Amino acid sequence: MLQLNPPLPLDTPKGSALAHFLIDYGAEHDLCWVCFQDETGECWTWRNREVRAPKNITMGRRTEERRGKVDLRVAE
């Protein structure tokens, strides 16, 4: 288990959240993110495949619709 300092913002199935801990059970398992939901304050643990990095214009993550389609190569 790793305590994240500072906590990381993530998009989860229940909305935006801050991840405070990361649990790694080993090579055969998903990473687990322990998050506190922004809206409700509830604590949920999400598998790595269930969370996404939030919108970040600087990193090219502009909208949810473009997720997975962003080209981050440096222009020549």
Side-chain angles (χ1 to χ4, degrees), residues 58-61 70-74:
T58 302
M59 297 303 294
R61 293 189 307 269
V70 177
D71 184 2
L72 296 177
R73 291 180 289 180
V74 176

mmCIF file of all heavy atoms in Angstrom, residues 58-61 70-74:
data_model
loop_
_atom_site.group_PDB
_atom_site.id
_atom_site.type_symbol
_atom_site.label_atom_id
_atom_site.label_comp_id
_atom_site.label_asym_id
_atom_site.label_seq_id
_atom_site.Cartn_x
_atom_site.Cartn_y
_atom_site.Cartn_z
ATOM 1 N N THR A 58 -3.370 21.101 -20.624
ATOM 2 C CA THR A 58 -1.922 21.121 -20.837
ATOM 3 C C THR A 58 -1.409 19.778 -21.336
ATOM 4 O O THR A 58 -0.523 19.717 -22.179
ATOM 5 C CB THR A 58 -1.204 21.499 -19.526
ATOM 6 O OG1 THR A 58 -1.682 22.772 -19.104
ATOM 7 C CG2 THR A 58 0.295 21.556 -19.713
ATOM 8 N N MET A 59 -1.996 18.678 -20.829
ATOM 9 C CA MET A 59 -1.563 17.338 -21.236
ATOM 10 C C MET A 59 -2.354 16.800 -22.423
ATOM 11 O O MET A 59 -2.168 15.663 -22.827
ATOM 12 C CB MET A 59 -1.691 16.376 -20.051
ATOM 13 C CG MET A 59 -0.802 16.735 -18.880
ATOM 14 S SD MET A 59 0.947 16.827 -19.314
ATOM 15 C CE MET A 59 1.284 15.150 -19.730
ATOM 16 N N GLY A 60 -3.253 17.597 -22.981
ATOM 17 C CA GLY A 60 -4.000 17.183 -24.162
ATOM 18 C C GLY A 60 -5.272 16.421 -23.849
ATOM 19 O O GLY A 60 -5.905 15.899 -24.761
ATOM 20 N N ARG A 61 -5.664 16.321 -22.579
ATOM 21 C CA ARG A 61 -6.913 15.654 -22.213
ATOM 22 C C ARG A 61 -7.979 16.730 -22.097
ATOM 23 O O ARG A 61 -8.222 17.276 -21.034
ATOM 24 C CB ARG A 61 -6.757 14.893 -20.896
ATOM 25 C CG ARG A 61 -5.817 13.715 -20.999
ATOM 26 C CD ARG A 61 -5.848 12.871 -19.755
ATOM 27 N NE ARG A 61 -5.632 13.608 -18.532
ATOM 28 C CZ ARG A 61 -4.449 13.804 -17.958
ATOM 29 N NH1 ARG A 61 -3.368 13.324 -18.509
ATOM 30 N NH2 ARG A 61 -4.349 14.493 -16.836
ATOM 31 N N VAL A 70 -6.187 10.880 -28.023
ATOM 32 C CA VAL A 70 -5.319 12.054 -28.010
ATOM 33 C C VAL A 70 -3.908 11.653 -28.429
ATOM 34 O O VAL A 70 -3.351 10.690 -27.941
ATOM 35 C CB VAL A 70 -5.298 12.701 -26.605
ATOM 36 C CG1 VAL A 70 -4.333 13.868 -26.578
ATOM 37 C CG2 VAL A 70 -6.687 13.133 -26.216
ATOM 38 N N ASP A 71 -3.333 12.419 -29.350
ATOM 39 C CA ASP A 71 -1.962 12.206 -29.798
ATOM 40 C C ASP A 71 -1.068 13.187 -29.039
ATOM 41 O O ASP A 71 -1.180 14.393 -29.223
ATOM 42 C CB ASP A 71 -1.878 12.441 -31.303
ATOM 43 C CG ASP A 71 -0.504 12.144 -31.860
ATOM 44 O OD1 ASP A 71 0.375 11.726 -31.082
ATOM 45 O OD2 ASP A 71 -0.331 12.314 -33.065
ATOM 46 N N LEU A 72 -0.194 12.687 -28.171
ATOM 47 C CA LEU A 72 0.642 13.545 -27.340
ATOM 48 C C LEU A 72 2.057 13.703 -27.891
ATOM 49 O O LEU A 72 2.937 14.179 -27.196
ATOM 50 C CB LEU A 72 0.699 12.996 -25.910
ATOM 51 C CG LEU A 72 -0.625 12.982 -25.174
ATOM 52 C CD1 LEU A 72 -0.458 12.344 -23.808
ATOM 53 C CD2 LEU A 72 -1.188 14.377 -25.028
ATOM 54 N N ARG A 73 2.272 13.310 -29.161
ATOM 55 C CA ARG A 73 3.605 13.478 -29.747
ATOM 56 C C ARG A 73 3.941 14.947 -29.907
ATOM 57 O O ARG A 73 3.062 15.772 -30.167
ATOM 58 C CB ARG A 73 3.679 12.786 -31.097
ATOM 59 C CG ARG A 73 3.617 11.269 -30.976
ATOM 60 C CD ARG A 73 3.686 10.638 -32.307
ATOM 61 N NE ARG A 73 2.405 10.905 -32.980
ATOM 62 C CZ ARG A 73 2.110 10.499 -34.194
ATOM 63 N NH1 ARG A 73 3.000 9.849 -34.906
ATOM 64 N NH2 ARG A 73 0.949 10.756 -34.716
ATOM 65 N N VAL A 74 5.205 15.277 -29.793
ATOM 66 C CA VAL A 74 5.653 16.649 -29.939
ATOM 67 C C VAL A 74 5.690 16.989 -31.428
ATOM 68 O O VAL A 74 6.222 16.231 -32.239
ATOM 69 C CB VAL A 74 7.066 16.842 -29.319
ATOM 70 C CG1 VAL A 74 7.563 18.239 -29.549
ATOM 71 C CG2 VAL A 74 7.026 16.499 -27.847
#
